[in-house]
Amino acid sequence: MAEKQLTANTQAYTGSRPASMHKTGMRSLFFRRNLYGLFFVTPAMLFFLIFNLYPMLNGLYLSFTEYTLLKPPVFIGIANYTGLLDNKEFLNGLQVTAAFVLGTTIPKWLLSLALALLFLRPFWGRETFKVLYFTPTLLSAVVISMVWKLLLNPNGLVNALVTPWVNRSEIFWLAHSKLTPMALMVVDNWAGISFFMVIWIAGLVGIPREFYEAALIDGAGRWQSFWHITLPLLRPTTLFVVVVSTIGALQAFSLQFIMTRGGPSNVTTTVALMVYNYGFNYFRMGVAATMSVYMFVVIIIITIVQIRSVRSEETSYT
Amino acid sequence: MMTPTTSRHSATHLVTRGLRNVLLYAVVIVGLLVFCIPVYYMATTSIKAEAEVFAIPVHWIPHEFKPQNYPEAFAAAPFARYFYNSTVVAIAVVFSTLFFSALAGYGFAKFSFPGKTLFFLFVLSTLMIPFQILLIPLYVLVYHLGWTNNYAGLIIPGALTAFGVFLMRQFCLTLPDELLDAARIDGCSEPGIFWRIVLPLLKPPLASLAIITFLGSWNNFLWPLIVVNKGSLFTLPVGMTVFTQPMRAPYWTYIMAVSTVSTVPVVVVFLALQKYFIQGVVLSGMKG
Amino acid sequence: MYSLRRSRLAVLFAIIVVAAVLAACVAPRLAPAGVRPPEAGAPAEKKVKVVYWAHNFEPRVTLDQKYIAEFMEQNPNIEVEYEVIPSDFDAKLRTALAAGTGPDLFAQWNGDIGTFYAQDAIVPVNAEALGFGSQKELMDLYVSPDNTLQGAMFDGKLYGIPNEVSIYACYVNKKLFEEAGLDADAHFPETWEEMVDVATKLTKRDADDKLVQQGFDFDYGASVWMFLQWGAMVRQLGGSELEVTTPEAEKVMQYWVDWSNTWKLGGPAYWTGQVDDFNAGRVAIKCAMGSWAKPLVEEAGIDYTLKKVPVWENAVNKNHFDIYAYFHMVNSKSAPEVQVAAWKLAWYLDSHPIDYMVNTGLLQPQKVLAESQEFKDILYMDLFLDEMSVSMYSPRVERFTEIADVLARARDRSIVEGMAIPESLATAQEEIDAILAESESK
C-alpha cells in the first residue's frame, strides 16, 4: 500500500499524465466529456474565486492604499512598500520570524527523522509508543499555548524540574529577551515533531527492501546505505516535510499571539503577529496588507528554492 | 538500523544487542515523557485544587481530587453550547470539504479543459496566503452575504480547502483510466462514473481527509474569533479566551478542564480511526 | 454492472447548478469596505432601528435590558437591537466598523476614541435632541466635568456620554501590613519616594531568595496600562508620555527599572493578573484596580482599605493615575434619525446613575449621584470621585494602542533587556514622532 503511494508521489512530482483519451471516441465526444471535467471543478473554482481570490486581490489592492478601517481606502501607490523597508519594527519582525523558522524547522526535520528511524525497527510496545508520541499533534494551538503557559510559569513544572540543576531560584521563560524566543521554539518543536515523524515513517516504509539487500551484498555499511539509498528515495517525503514545516513557521502566529503577545519588548513579534496588530489594533490595514504581500512573496521564493534544491539533489544522485 | 538482522548468535552479539535494546528503550521512554508529560499534566491539573497547581514539590497526582472543576468550569461560560457549535461546524465543514474536494480533484485529474493548469496552480497558490490578509476582505464579504452571526459564517468560508482538492487530485491520478473507460463503454454517464465508481474508490483518502479536516475545523481559532459576536455561536477555542482576560489571573484548573474536554473528541476520533488517521498523514505526504 | 438511476444524477446536477448559480449571483453584490448597507437609511415612516453593542458585564447587562425595554415602550417608533459582545470587544468593534457594519450606538472605552474622532467615525452628542438647551447644560449635571468628561472632549465638543467612569486607587491588604509591623492607615506612602521603603518592608523572600510576597507592583499585562500608570506618573512631574526624551520621562522610567532590577521589588516577570495577585495575598498594595474590583476583593475575603495613588514629592500636577471611561458613542455612518434615536437611548440608560451604582457598582459621576444617600452609604466611593476631580484622561491621540505598544516596548527594553534608559526612550520617541507625524499629515 505504502509503496504504491510512494509511486504516486513520484508521479506527482514528475508531472501528471495526460487525461485519458478514449481510443474509439470521436472528437466531439471527447470534447463533451471534458466539459464534465470543467463542470466538476466549477463549484470548487467558484468557491476559491469568491473566498480566496477576491479577498486576496482586495488585500493586494489595500497594500497600495492608506486604509484606517474607519474611512474608505485611499490610494497611495507604493508608499507602504517603501515605508516598511525603513520600519525598524518590521525589520525586527523579519529577524524574529527568520530565527523562528530556523529554530523550528531544522530541529524538527532532524529529530522527527531520527524518531522515525527509531520506530522502523520492531520492538515490544512499538505501536503503543507511536500512538502516544502522536498526542501533541491532536491538541489545538489554544490548548498547546495554555498548557505551556502553565508549565513555563515562574512557579511551574518546568522550573520545578530545571532550577535545582542550574542553581537558580527561578527562571522567567516567558519574560526574558533571550529565553522567550527559544521557549516558543521548543514548544513549537514539541507540538510538531510527531506529525513529521509519522510522515517520515510512511516514506521509509515505502522504500522497497530489495534496495537494502542489494546494498548489503555490495558491502555497504549502515550509514552508506542511509546516505545513498534511504535519503535519495525519501526525496518526495523530504520535500513535503521541508516545505510544509517552513511555510508553517513563516506564518507563525498562534503561540506568539496567545503566549507572549509578541513580548517581552518585541522579541517574539513575528511578521504574522505584526500583520494582526497593524490590521486590527493600529488601524493600519494598508500597511498590514503590504506586510502580508511581502510575506507571500518570501514564502513563494523560499518554497521554489526548496523544491529546486531537493530536486536538483535528485538528479545528482540518479 | 536498516540492515536486516543476521542470524549470528555469538555471545558478544547477544551482549551488544542487549545493550542496544536498553539504549533503545531509554531513548523511547525519554521521548515518551517529553511528549506525554505536558498532556498528562493538563489532565491531572484539571482535577486538582487551584492551590495545588504550583505546589512544590510538584503534585504529580492530585492530593485533593477535585472533579467538580469540570462542572464549575462549564458553568463559568456556556461551554456545552460552545462544544455543540464546534461539533456542528466541524461536521458540516467535513462533509462539504469531502464532496467538493473529491469532485474537483477528479475533474482536475482525469479531464482536460481550457484553463485547467492555471486553475490548478491558482488552487495551490491559495495554500501560501497568510490568512491575516484575507481577514478583513473576507469579513466584509461574509457580512454582505448576511452570514455574520449565524452558522453560515462559521462554516462556508472554510467549507473547502485547497489541500483537500490537491489531495483528491493526487489520488485520482492513480486511478486506472481503463476502469473509467470501461464504465463509459457500458453507457455510464460522467456524473454516474463519479458517483458510483470514483467516490467508492476514494474512500480511504476521503476518510483521511475527513479526519484532517475535522482536526483543522475543531481547532480553528482566528476566524471564529472575528466572525461571530453572539456568545451563543462561539466555538470552543474562542470560548476558552474567557479565561485569558488581562484583568484576571488565569484560573488554571478550569482552563485545563476545558482544554481536556476540548481535546477528548479529537482523541476519540483518533483512536477510533487510527489507521485512517496515520494514513491521512501519510497521504498528505503527497502534498509537497 | 454500472446501471444508472437517472433521477439521482439529476439531483446531483441540480445541486451543482444551484450552487453555481447562487455563487455567481452573490459575487456582484460584494460591496467595498466602508459602505453602509442600504437598510440603514430606512424611510421615515418605518420604525427606526438602533443597533447597540456593549461589552459583557452581567449585572450591567441585566439592568440595560430592563431600561431598554422601558425605553422601547416609551418610544414605540424606535426598535433597539441590543447585542452583548462576550469577548474581544475591541477587535470586534474595529472589524465591524471597518466592514461598514458597525452598531449605531456602542459603549466603548476611551482608548480608541482619538482614532474614532480623527477618522470621523463618531458624532458629537446631540444635546438639543435630548432636551438640553446646550451641551454645557448636560455637562453641568456631572461632578468636575472638565476632568470626568475630558476623555470625550474634542475642540470643545463632547463626543460621548459615559456609562462607566473609572479610576485606579490603591487597594491595601491590612493583614500583610500588620505582619510587617505597619499600620495601613498611618504608614501608607503618599509619595513614590516613600513607596520604595514601605514596599521593601512588605516584601518577603524565601530561603532560595525567591520573591514570595511583594509590597507593591505596577501592572504590566496590557500595554495601554503604560498610559494609565507610567504616563500619569510622568504627567505628575509636568512631562508628557508623548515626549519621552525628557528628564521627567527618564526619571519615571528609572524608577520602574530600579523597581525591578535595583530594588528587586517585582517587575513584569512576576505579574500574573490585575486582581488576583492581590486577592491571593501575594501583593500587599495594588494600585491598578478601579471601584469595579471592590466586590471581587471582598469576595476573596481580603481585609482591605483603599488609599489614593501616590504622587511624587515635588509633583507639578497632583493627578493620580488616569481616569478612563466607557462612553456611549454614536456611529457617524448611521442615518440622522438613527443617530438621534441612539443618543436618546444612550441618555435614557445614563440618566439612572443611582440605580447603576447600587446594582452594578458602575460609577456615572453625576451630581445627583454624588449627593445621594445611596452613594454616601457605599464605602470608599467618595475616594474614587475625589481622585477623579484632580486627575485626567490619557492623551486622546489617534493610534493610542500603537503608541501604548511603543511605550511598553521601551519599558521592556530597559527592564528586561537592560538597555540604557536614554537610548531606549530615544528609540521610543522616534517611533512616537513617526506615528504622530503620519496622523497629522492627513
Side-chain angles (χ1 to χ4, degrees):
Chain A
M1 184 69 205
E3 283 164 32
K4 240 195 224 162
Q5 277 148 14
L6 194 75
T7 14
N9 284 354
T10 5
Q11 253 168 24
Y13 300 124
T14 48
S16 55
R17 283 173 291 167
S20 72
M21 176 87 85
H22 199 293
K23 287 190 192 87
T24 56
M26 288 174 297
R27 191 136 189 89
S28 67
L29 186 71
F30 177 69
F31 178 73
R32 213 176 64 198
R33 181 198 303 160
N34 279 325
L35 269 188
Y36 276 109
L38 192 59
F39 197 61
F40 288 157
V41 304
T42 300
M45 287 321 297
L46 283 174
F47 179 89
F48 287 119
L49 286 176
I50 295 170
F51 293 108
N52 285 81
L53 187 67
Y54 164 75
M56 195 165 111
L57 292 178
N58 201 332
L60 186 65
Y61 163 68
L62 291 180
S63 75
F64 294 104
T65 67
E66 155 127 37
Y67 182 33
T68 61
L69 298 184
L70 303 171
K71 276 182 180 168
V74 179
F75 188 82
I76 52 165
I78 59 164
N80 287 335
Y81 286 87
T82 51
L84 272 182
L85 298 179
D86 296 330
N87 183 326
K88 280 184 196 152
E89 283 303 303
F90 181 61
L91 300 179
N92 172 73
L94 288 175
Q95 273 177 24
V96 169
T97 310
F100 191 77
V101 169
L102 288 179
T104 63
T105 51
I106 297 170
K108 254 188 225 168
W109 305 339
L110 299 179
L111 288 170
S112 59
L113 179 59
L115 285 176
L117 290 170
L118 195 68
F119 275 106
L120 219 56
R121 63 179 0 205
F123 56 88
W124 181 84
R126 181 177 72 167
E127 292 308 310
T128 316
F129 278 116
K130 220 179 353 186
V131 169
L132 289 171
Y133 270 46
F134 201 69
T135 36
T137 309
L138 303 177
L139 306 182
S140 72
V142 176
V143 171
I144 290 169
S145 304
M146 295 316 285
V147 169
W148 278 95
K149 238 179 136 168
L150 170 66
L151 298 178
L152 294 170
N153 187 289
N155 301 309
L157 182 64
V158 172
N159 269 352
L161 298 177
V162 169
T163 46
W165 302 92
V166 294
N167 198 23
R168 300 271 302 260
S169 60
E170 50 197 340
I171 303 171
F172 298 110
W173 299 101
L174 297 179
H176 189 285
S177 55
K178 299 279 185 309
L179 287 177
T180 309
M182 274 160 40
L184 292 195
M185 288 175 203
V186 170
V187 173
D188 191 75
N189 277 300
W190 176 84
I193 281 176
S194 48
F195 175 76
F196 292 112
M197 174 189 87
V198 173
I199 289 174
W200 286 119
I201 292 176
L204 286 166
V205 169
I207 298 175
R209 190 163 282 246
E210 297 83 55
F211 283 107
Y212 295 110
E213 279 160 13
L216 197 70
I217 292 166
D218 290 349
R222 188 167 296 156
W223 277 106
Q224 277 171 310
S225 56
F226 178 74
W227 276 113
H228 296 293
I229 299 173
T230 313
L231 274 188
L233 286 169
L234 268 180
R235 254 181 224 120
T237 317
T238 310
L239 188 62
F240 172 79
V241 171
V242 167
V243 170
V244 169
S245 59
T246 311
I247 292 183
L250 282 165
Q251 299 191 7
F253 172 77
S254 299
L255 291 186
Q256 286 79 3
F257 180 71
I258 303 168
M259 289 179 75
T260 63
R261 291 266 162 181
S265 181
N266 53 12
V267 297
T268 58
T269 308
T270 57
V271 174
L273 186 61
M274 286 188 81
V275 170
Y276 180 86
N277 281 340
Y278 272 67
F280 291 90
N281 288 335
Y282 299 170
F283 298 92
R284 297 171 80 173
M285 190 49 84
V287 181
T290 314
M291 284 189 220
S292 24
V293 173
Y294 271 133
M295 267 337 269
F296 184 57
V297 172
V298 168
I299 289 175
I300 287 199
I301 291 174
I302 291 182
T303 308
I304 289 173
V305 169
Q306 285 176 339
I307 291 175
R308 285 247 169 111
S309 58
V310 173
R311 271 198 189 153
S312 66
E313 272 172 46
E314 198 166 12
T315 44
S316 72
Y317 274 96
T318 41
Chain B
M1 272 173 228
M2 300 298 303
T3 34
T5 41
T6 55
S7 49
R8 283 194 305 134
H9 278 289
S10 67
T12 44
H13 184 73
L14 280 177
V15 170
T16 37
R17 214 171 69 173
L19 271 176
R20 209 186 284 159
N21 271 338
V22 169
L23 196 68
L24 175 103
Y25 275 101
V27 172
V28 170
I29 288 170
V30 167
L32 182 76
L33 294 177
V34 169
F35 284 119
C36 290
I37 281 182
V39 183
Y40 169 83
Y41 204 69
M42 166 182 90
T44 49
T45 302
S46 73
I47 46 172
K48 276 180 191 172
E50 187 69 22
E52 278 186 86
V53 172
F54 295 123
I56 301 279
V58 176
H59 290 187
W60 289 105
I61 297 164
H63 291 195
E64 185 191 332
F65 181 64
K66 209 176 156 242
Q68 316 73 297
N69 284 334
Y70 281 81
E72 282 172 23
F74 268 67
F79 281 104
R81 176 79 203 184
Y82 302 162
F83 194 91
Y84 170 79
N85 291 339
S86 280
T87 311
V88 169
V89 171
I91 289 175
V93 164
V94 165
F95 276 99
S96 129
T97 303
L98 293 193
F99 180 74
F100 289 108
S101 298
L103 197 63
Y106 175 55
F108 277 126
K110 290 296 178 188
F111 298 88
S112 64
F113 46 85
K116 181 173 104 159
T117 318
L118 190 73
F119 282 178
F120 188 65
L121 283 179
F122 161 61
V123 170
L124 278 192
S125 72
T126 61
L127 284 171
M128 296 172 197
I129 311 169
F131 181 69
Q132 288 81 2
I133 180 78
L134 301 181
L135 212 49
I136 284 270
L138 203 56
Y139 179 83
V140 177
L141 176 65
V142 164
Y143 173 82
H144 286 288
L145 294 169
W147 294 346
T148 47
N149 277 339
N150 57 41
Y151 281 117
L154 285 168
I155 293 167
I156 296 178
L160 184 56
T161 58
F163 173 67
V165 175
F166 184 80
L167 184 67
M168 288 301 128
R169 174 202 177 248
Q170 298 305 90
F171 205 87
C172 286
L173 284 175
T174 67
L175 298 179
D177 289 325
E178 294 73 25
L179 186 64
L180 306 176
D181 288 342
R184 285 178 186 125
I185 291 168
D186 286 351
C188 194
S189 75
E190 292 298 332
I193 292 173
F194 171 71
W195 191 254
R196 325 197 123 245
I197 299 169
V198 176
L199 264 190
L201 286 173
L202 287 181
K203 258 181 206 160
L206 280 176
S208 315
L209 180 61
I211 295 159
I212 291 172
T213 311
F214 177 81
L215 197 64
S217 169
W218 189 263
N219 293 341
N220 195 3
F221 173 60
L222 188 53
W223 175 248
L225 179 78
I226 291 295
V227 80
V228 293
N229 296 330
K230 283 195 182 126
S232 60
L233 282 168
F234 276 18
T235 56
L236 269 177
V238 180
M240 278 181 67
T241 59
V242 301
F243 290 126
T244 58
Q245 306 296 331
M247 210 176 90
R248 307 304 305 269
Y251 206 77
W252 288 112
T253 52
Y254 290 1
I255 295 175
M256 292 303 129
V258 177
S259 296
T260 307
V261 171
S262 82
T263 307
V264 165
V266 187
V267 172
V268 168
V269 169
F270 173 66
L271 289 179
L273 299 165
Q274 208 196 106
K275 193 181 86 189
Y276 288 125
F277 202 105
I278 300 290
Q279 201 183 4
V281 173
V282 171
L283 283 168
S284 64
M286 309 196 317
K287 186 178 165 186
Chain C
M1 186 178 171
Y2 302 117
S3 67
L4 293 175
R5 255 186 255 145
R6 299 235 162 234
S7 60
R8 200 187 266 190
L9 288 177
V11 170
L12 180 68
F13 271 114
I15 291 172
I16 294 169
V17 169
V18 168
V21 169
L22 272 183
C25 290
V26 145
R29 277 176 50 198
L30 310 180
V35 174
R36 193 76 183 142
E39 62 265 23
E45 69 268 22
K46 264 175 87 182
K47 250 190 170 182
V48 176
K49 186 173 149 195
V50 177
V51 179
Y52 170 38
W53 282 14
H55 77 284
N56 193 13
F57 178 55
E58 248 170 70
R60 196 209 67 235
V61 170
T62 317
L63 210 54
D64 285 350
Q65 281 162 342
K66 179 188 142 201
Y67 283 120
I68 288 171
E70 271 184 34
F71 177 78
M72 293 204 320
E73 232 168 75
Q74 291 173 22
N75 299 275
N77 64 327
I78 300 177
E79 186 196 335
V80 179
E81 192 183 304
Y82 180 41
E83 234 179 272
V84 178
I85 313 295
S87 72
D88 293 275
F89 186 60
D90 294 14
K92 292 227 161 90
L93 184 65
R94 287 167 191 154
T95 318
L97 290 172
T101 64
D104 304 301
L105 176 69
F106 49 92
Q108 169 66 323
W109 87 284
N110 56 290
D112 282 342
I113 199 169
T115 307
F116 290 155
Y117 167 73
Q119 295 292 321
D120 303 323
I122 50 174
V123 293
V125 176
N126 190 339
E128 287 77 14
L130 302 179
F132 296 101
S134 67
Q135 173 183 297
K136 190 171 175 303
E137 223 172 273
L138 169 64
M139 290 177 70
D140 281 342
L141 296 178
Y142 287 81
V143 178
S144 316
D146 291 342
N147 298 84
T148 58
L149 297 178
Q150 178 215 14
M153 293 296 289
F154 294 93
D155 291 332
K157 277 188 190 156
L158 184 67
Y159 276 78
I161 305 174
N163 77 336
E164 172 186 352
V165 182
S166 284
I167 190 162
Y168 293 154
C170 294
Y171 284 73
V172 181
N173 187 321
K174 284 185 179 170
K175 196 176 121 230
L176 297 185
F177 264 70
E178 271 166 37
E179 282 174 11
L182 298 170
D183 179 74
D185 288 313
H187 298 108
F188 185 82
E190 284 176 12
T191 65
W192 291 115
E193 286 84 353
E194 289 168 16
M195 179 61 105
V196 184
D197 297 332
V198 175
T200 308
K201 284 179 192 151
L202 287 161
T203 300
K204 279 188 194 160
R205 295 175 177 280
D206 69 4
D208 298 332
D209 208 31
K210 200 164 141 183
L211 208 53
V212 289
Q213 180 187 309
Q214 291 178 265
F216 161 78
D217 206 349
F218 298 104
D219 270 54
Y220 305 93
S223 51
V224 289
W225 293 342
M226 281 300 281
F227 275 116
L228 300 171
Q229 308 167 89
W230 188 86
M233 287 172 75
V234 175
R235 269 175 273 124
Q236 287 177 348
L237 294 169
S240 155
E241 61 262 73
L242 301 178
E243 282 159 35
V244 295
T245 50
T246 57
E248 293 84 15
E250 276 178 29
K251 177 175 175 176
V252 179
M253 190 60 92
Q254 186 67 55
Y255 187 87
W256 281 51
V257 171
D258 287 341
W259 193 269
S260 283
N261 300 348
T262 311
W263 308 320
K264 297 193 184 305
L265 296 170
Y270 292 94
W271 187 87
T272 62
Q274 214 175 356
V275 185
D276 299 66
D277 287 335
F278 183 78
N279 280 0
R282 280 195 302 271
V283 185
I285 304 169
K286 199 75 173 166
C287 298
M289 293 188 275
S291 57
W292 46 263
K294 273 176 54 190
L296 302 172
V297 173
E298 280 156 17
E299 197 186 322
I302 303 279
D303 182 17
Y304 75 101
T305 180
L306 270 168
K307 296 287 170 191
K308 288 182 187 169
V309 171
V311 289
W312 294 99
E313 257 167 34
N314 51 352
V316 178
N317 297 312
K318 296 290 179 190
N319 64 288
H320 302 280
F321 281 166
D322 283 348
I323 312 176
Y324 64 96
Y326 278 80
F327 285 105
H328 276 128
M329 296 180 237
V330 170
N331 192 334
S332 65
K333 290 192 182 103
S334 300
E337 69 275 12
V338 177
Q339 291 182 0
V340 169
W343 282 126
K344 279 186 183 159
L345 171 63
W347 180 243
Y348 193 79
L349 291 170
D350 295 336
S351 52
H352 303 91
I354 299 174
D355 207 359
Y356 274 90
M357 174 89 266
V358 172
N359 290 304
T360 70
L362 300 183
L363 177 60
Q364 296 167 2
Q366 296 177 24
K367 286 173 184 157
V368 54
L369 172 70
E371 286 150 12
S372 70
Q373 193 54 46
E374 286 93 336
F375 183 78
K376 286 168 190 156
D377 286 346
I378 301 177
L379 204 56
Y380 301 123
M381 229 41 199
D382 50 341
L383 180 135
F384 288 103
L385 207 54
D386 284 354
E387 275 196 332
M388 274 179 205
S389 56
V390 293
S391 297
M392 36 183 132
Y393 282 82
S394 309
R396 288 145 293 149
V397 284
E398 195 178 352
R399 297 198 188 143
F400 184 82
T401 319
E402 192 176 354
I403 298 176
D405 280 354
V406 168
L407 296 177
R409 282 201 298 269
R411 175 197 70 203
D412 287 352
R413 273 197 300 271
S414 289
I415 295 182
V416 181
E417 294 173 32
M419 186 192 268
I421 291 170
E423 196 187 334
S424 172
L425 288 176
T427 306
Q429 191 60 54
E430 260 175 53
E431 294 175 346
I432 293 172
D433 288 345
I435 294 167
L436 294 179
E438 256 182 73
S439 314
E440 277 160 19
S441 70
K442 275 179 298 191

